[in-house]
Amino acid sequence: MILTVTLNTALDVTYRVPRLLPHASHRVAAVTERPGGKGINVARVLAALGHEVTATGFAGGPVGAVVHELLAQSPGVVDALVPCAGTTRRTLAVVDDASGDTTQFNEPGPLITPAEWAGFLPRYEALLVGARAVALCGSLPPGVPVGAYAVLVRAARAAGVPVLLDTSGEALRRGVAARPEMIKPNAAELAELTGSREPLPATRDARRRGAHAVITSLGPAGLLAATPEGTWQAAPPRTLAGNPTGAGDSAVAGLLSALAEGLDWPERLTRAVALSAATVAAPVAGEFDPGTYEELRDAVAVTSSD
């Protein structure tokens, strides 16, 4: 089983409008709702790849009830979300059909009490017992200590479970110091962590701060990975048009699934880049197009940067 942790779970709501204009009233052409937050997105992709996956984190209130209901309709994902008194946040994505652009509005999340956070930790540790790998993903809801991911990384390492950490800011800085197996920042998050905007030296610097391997997202240019076995860049064969929402989460799922399967680094990066690109090409944001994924798996270019 692969475990994903989404402390700031969400209900993702997507509106499609013919054209998004400031200061105007809009008629919404279509509305979709789905359980969200980065770790939930990762869990769905892992399940689609055929892995057993359990999703944990917090969910509460009427919105949390909808998340539970929709998660029950996600094949292959076991719902282990922990209740909280506050109401789960919503994220609103408005897709402009004329341009293809997406405008995102993200609520902050419920206030997690000290007792709720303390109660989450033993449940997380119990789930680690059956896990082959764990993904710690996304922002921290209000009330959760800024060092929360460092605590969760250390617990996983004590249980012998490799960890992929995908967050930002101070939560990433503290989490890296706990020595996770992998981190996956984007270029902006990496620059904030290291102070450098040069991807290759910044990626290597992030490794020196504690991460076993650092995989940096370069957007349409693919992934840059600094690992104990070497440094590689993996890029899709072409730039795909579409919605990039969820592409980074698909990359995390690719890296985590390949780790669980014992694949080498070039194969891990190939899978992650192909899944990420196939997510951009998918008709529904945050899902991947299987045909595009199969096509791209043999076309991703992986080059050594050593």
Side-chain angles (χ1 to χ4, degrees):
M1 176 267 286
I2 298 177
L3 178 64
T4 72
V5 178
T6 314
L7 296 176
N8 209 6
T9 306
L11 176 65
D12 289 344
V13 182
T14 301
Y15 288 170
R16 300 195 73 95
V17 298
R19 185 181 296 274
L20 182 62
L21 300 171
H23 316 297
S25 177
H26 296 80
R27 186 176 298 278
V28 177
V31 181
T32 58
E33 292 184 339
R34 37 189 256 157
K38 293 179 72 63
I40 299 292
N41 296 338
V42 171
R44 275 200 305 269
V45 175
L46 285 168
L49 292 172
H51 286 270
E52 295 181 3
V53 58
T54 296
T56 191
F58 291 105
V63 179
V66 176
V67 169
H68 281 297
E69 179 183 345
L70 294 176
L71 201 54
Q73 302 170 26
S74 298
V77 179
V78 175
D79 181 354
L81 294 172
V82 175
C84 62
T87 296
T88 295
R89 67 187 177 129
R90 294 162 298 181
T91 68
L92 177 62
V94 182
V95 180
D96 183 332
D97 285 336
S99 65
D101 291 338
T102 300
T103 301
Q104 192 88 11
F105 300 89
N106 297 325
E107 295 179 358
L111 176 66
I112 304 300
T113 68
E116 288 169 338
W117 171 241
F120 174 80
L121 293 175
R123 299 195 185 195
Y124 167 72
E125 290 170 352
L127 290 169
L128 287 173
V129 173
R132 290 185 294 161
V134 57
L136 308 176
C137 301
S139 61
L140 299 176
V144 171
V146 70
Y149 281 135
V151 172
L152 300 184
V153 169
R154 285 193 288 268
R157 292 187 68 229
V161 180
V163 184
L164 189 156
L165 176 62
D166 184 15
T167 188
S168 60
E170 188 62 22
L172 174 60
R173 188 180 308 277
R174 298 198 187 192
V176 168
R179 304 186 65 81
E181 181 75 14
M182 292 183 278
I183 63 171
K184 195 210 69 64
N186 60 33
E189 292 162 349
L190 184 68
E192 184 181 7
L193 175 66
T194 65
S196 173
R197 295 193 174 276
E198 294 295 328
L200 183 56
T203 298
R204 288 171 170 161
D205 179 28
R207 269 203 74 216
R208 290 191 290 270
R209 293 169 186 259
H212 190 68
V214 179
I215 303 92
T216 302
S217 173
L218 304 176
L223 297 173
L224 175 65
T227 81
E229 287 77 31
T231 304
W232 291 275
Q233 184 165 349
R238 63 184 186 280
T239 300
L240 281 80
N243 186 350
T245 302
D249 302 330
S250 290
V252 168
L255 292 167
L256 208 61
S257 62
L259 169 67
E261 294 170 25
L263 302 183
D264 64 21
W265 273 107
E267 291 175 303
R268 295 182 198 182
L269 297 171
T270 294
R271 179 178 294 184
V273 168
L275 278 171
S276 181
T279 298
V280 174
V284 178
E287 298 182 1
F288 71 92
D289 180 73
T292 303
Y293 171 57
E294 293 295 332
E295 172 198 345
L296 294 179
R297 277 197 308 178
D298 296 328
V300 171
V302 182
T303 55
S304 174
S305 298
D306 289 328

